[in-house]
Amino acid sequence: MDFELSDDVKGAIARAKDFADKYFTEEIAERADSEEQFPSDIVAISKKEKILDFSNPWQVLVTIEELVRRDPGLGISVTISAFGAEIFMFFGNDAQKEKYMNPVFAGKKSLGLGVTEASGGSDVASITTEAKLDGDSYILNGGKMFISNGQIADNFLVLARTSPAPSPEKKHRGLSVFVVDAKSPGFGINKLHGKLGVRATNTAELIFDNVRVPKENMVGEEGKGFYYIMTFFNISRIYVAAQGLGIAHGALDRLIEYSKKYADHSETGELKEDMQLAIAEIATRVEATRNITYKAASYLFKFTPNPIVTSMAKFYAAESAVFSTQKAMELMSLHGLTSDLERFFRDAKILDIWEGTTEVEKLIITRMMLKEGGA
Ligand SMILES: Cc1cc2nc3c(=O)[nH]c(=O)nc-3n(C[C@H](O)[C@H](O)[C@H](O)COP(=O)(O)OP(=O)(O)OC[C@H]3O[C@@H](n4cnc5c(N)ncnc54)[C@H](O)[C@@H]3O)c2cc1C
């Protein structure tokens, strides 16, 4: 067991720190949040400077952690442009990888993933968007809700029903994944406003009104879409855990900075005891979150994913983010409520929801443990 990071990974952390120092100013972060403005300029620079090195997933993980630590809205906007790309990597054919995945990894295009619908996101197998075969193409009808990069992505991976469910118990069958060009006739996009957090990220509703998609845009095999999406979530949840780790660490940074600058000092120069306790509690949370996140990542990056540990990392990191931002905010009283921690707190709550809510993660853990035994 080796807890030492490689020089490459340390280099990625240093590059992410420099990038955030240069571009994630408080003024930009505050404006992106209050005006719900996607930071296109910063995202473009990050792509040019290749801030995300997709050839090394550890570097991607620590870059997410470090950028989100500085600001969650900006950090996630910069690191979400390849959202869904692993579906091509594992299930796409060579032509699809060449056309849709490589330009995303090269920073030339952006991707989005459409799974959730207005009727709910947890019960993926109940989606109602339909794809019907018509000659050499499929015709898509339906809609997706809360889709990240909604107005930004060039292409979307979309889950749709291609054949009726054989029975209510087997409704996860008959679903397929398609890559859909955002400029397709009949494809509508409505930006969503007023999100609780990550307001810098772009979130939209997608509408498919007789959208014609060539047959060759089906990714993988017909009817295996549910399995592909679940496989993807077992990857993306680790990156969400890194987001949670970044937010919790960001809260710790702010509390320590505040304690040095503003806290009441006793005659001996000691910090108030409640602040000392809070710093220790949050720092321990950050360390525990890092350990479980890196453990889940370690399984995945060796191609032996452990979905139990992945779900544990995802929900624990989201809870740590909420716990740490809330605790730090309380300790900093009025300053906490009016500083950027207020934004961090709203952003943290989103992690509890996307890529599987905390309740869903807990259900996965227990069901898999009962089926398979320990973690
Ligand atoms: C900012 C943002 C960006 C997003 N981006 C994307 C995206 O790019 N692509 C995409 O496809 N989706 C995206 N989502 C959707 C996200 O994945 C869903 O919000 C999430 O899966 C939960 O679905 P829901 O909000 O419909 O809640 P529901 O599924 O309706 O759940 C509501 C509540 O019921 C609980 N619940 C549900 N089922 C159970 C159960 N069986 N047992 C116990 N409790 C249960 C949930 O935990 C939750 O508390 C995004 C969401 C947000 C907020």
Side-chain angles (χ1 to χ4, degrees):
M1 201 178 300
D2 185 2
F3 289 100
E4 189 58 30
L5 300 177
S6 71
D7 288 345
D8 283 354
V9 173
K10 285 182 191 162
I13 295 173
R15 275 198 306 284
K17 271 192 209 297
D18 286 349
F19 186 84
D21 280 346
K22 211 159 152 193
Y23 299 109
F24 287 15
T25 65
E26 177 49 23
E27 192 196 341
I28 291 174
E30 201 282 320
R31 193 164 4 107
D33 177 75
S34 60
E35 294 176 11
E36 301 184 281
Q37 205 179 81
F38 184 77
S40 309
D41 293 351
I42 300 177
V43 172
I45 299 167
S46 75
K47 288 180 174 181
K48 213 165 141 210
E49 295 189 6
K50 300 205 181 317
I51 281 303
L52 281 175
D53 179 354
F54 291 104
S55 67
N56 181 340
W58 280 110
Q59 293 192 25
V60 173
L61 190 89
V62 297
T63 302
I64 292 172
E65 177 187 336
E66 209 49 50
L67 294 182
V68 170
R69 175 179 171 188
R70 202 62 65 87
D71 183 74
L74 298 180
I76 293 170
S77 297
V78 162
T79 54
I80 203 175
S81 60
F83 189 57
E86 289 87 352
I87 295 177
F88 288 120
M89 193 186 289
F90 290 109
F91 307 112
N93 58 35
D94 288 348
Q96 289 167 345
K97 286 179 189 165
E98 180 65 30
K99 188 167 176 188
Y100 301 109
M101 183 185 79
N102 293 347
V104 164
F105 286 151
K108 296 198 168 99
K109 295 252 164 111
S110 293
L111 201 57
L113 175 73
V115 176
T116 306
E117 300 190 348
S119 57
S122 303
D123 188 5
V124 171
S126 290
I127 60 144
T128 58
T129 295
E130 270 187 341
K132 284 203 171 141
L133 191 58
D134 180 49
D136 281 345
S137 36
Y138 281 88
I139 313 259
L140 262 67
N141 278 293
K144 298 289 173 182
M145 192 50 98
F146 289 121
I147 305 306
S148 299
N149 289 340
Q151 292 178 304
I152 310 294
D154 301 280
N155 295 290
F156 291 89
L157 286 154
V158 175
L159 185 70
R161 183 159 288 288
T162 42
S163 60
S167 67
E169 298 77 41
K170 292 188 178 150
K171 60 187 177 182
H172 58 287
R173 295 202 188 154
L175 301 173
S176 305
V177 173
F178 295 88
V179 54
V180 183
D181 187 326
K183 293 197 189 79
S184 306
F187 191 159
I189 303 171
N190 294 325
K191 180 174 176 172
L192 300 176
H193 294 276
K195 299 197 295 274
L196 170 74
V198 296
R199 290 179 164 201
T201 67
N202 184 278
T203 316
E205 174 189 20
L206 309 182
I207 297 159
F208 309 102
D209 181 9
N210 287 315
V211 175
R212 192 170 277 276
V213 177
K215 231 169 148 184
E216 62 265 24
N217 281 26
M218 181 183 282
V219 181
E221 289 176 46
E222 186 184 344
K224 297 253 176 89
F226 181 84
Y227 163 71
Y228 299 158
I229 297 298
M230 293 304 126
T231 304
F232 171 70
F233 283 158
N234 273 317
I235 299 169
S236 64
R237 282 173 182 152
I238 289 170
Y239 293 117
V240 176
Q243 296 168 358
L245 174 55
I247 293 184
H249 204 168
L252 179 64
D253 293 336
R254 281 151 183 80
L255 184 58
I256 289 177
E257 194 187 331
Y258 175 84
S259 73
K260 285 183 183 157
K261 276 195 196 158
Y262 301 103
D264 291 337
H265 287 70
S266 70
E267 287 172 1
T268 59
E270 289 262 314
L271 265 183
K272 282 199 308 184
E273 199 171 297
D274 58 354
M275 200 158 293
Q276 290 188 48
L277 297 178
I279 289 173
E281 274 180 54
I282 297 174
T284 306
R285 272 279 187 154
V286 170
E287 196 55 30
T289 306
R290 177 168 293 112
N291 282 328
I292 195 164
T293 301
Y294 285 16
K295 184 172 182 184
S298 174
Y299 281 123
L300 177 71
F301 299 160
K302 286 181 190 152
F303 298 101
T304 52
N306 184 326
I308 296 177
V309 179
T310 299
S311 286
M312 287 174 173
K314 197 276 176 184
F315 102 72
Y316 188 76
E319 283 194 353
S320 295
V322 174
F323 169 86
S324 305
T325 47
Q326 183 174 345
K327 189 99 187 159
M329 215 164 53
E330 283 166 9
L331 266 287
M332 287 160 62
S333 60
L334 195 59
H335 182 73
L337 294 173
T338 54
S339 71
D340 60 357
L341 256 183
E342 170 272 338
R343 185 173 69 245
F344 269 61
F345 178 60
R346 289 187 284 106
D347 294 341
K349 186 61 197 167
I350 299 290
L351 308 191
D352 244 354
I353 300 169
W354 65 14
E355 310 296 300
T357 65
T358 290
E359 290 77 17
V360 167
E361 302 303 334
K362 288 178 180 172
L363 291 175
I364 293 171
I365 293 165
T366 304
R367 285 177 190 162
M368 292 196 78
M369 288 189 79
L370 296 183
K371 211 163 97 187
E372 294 174 10

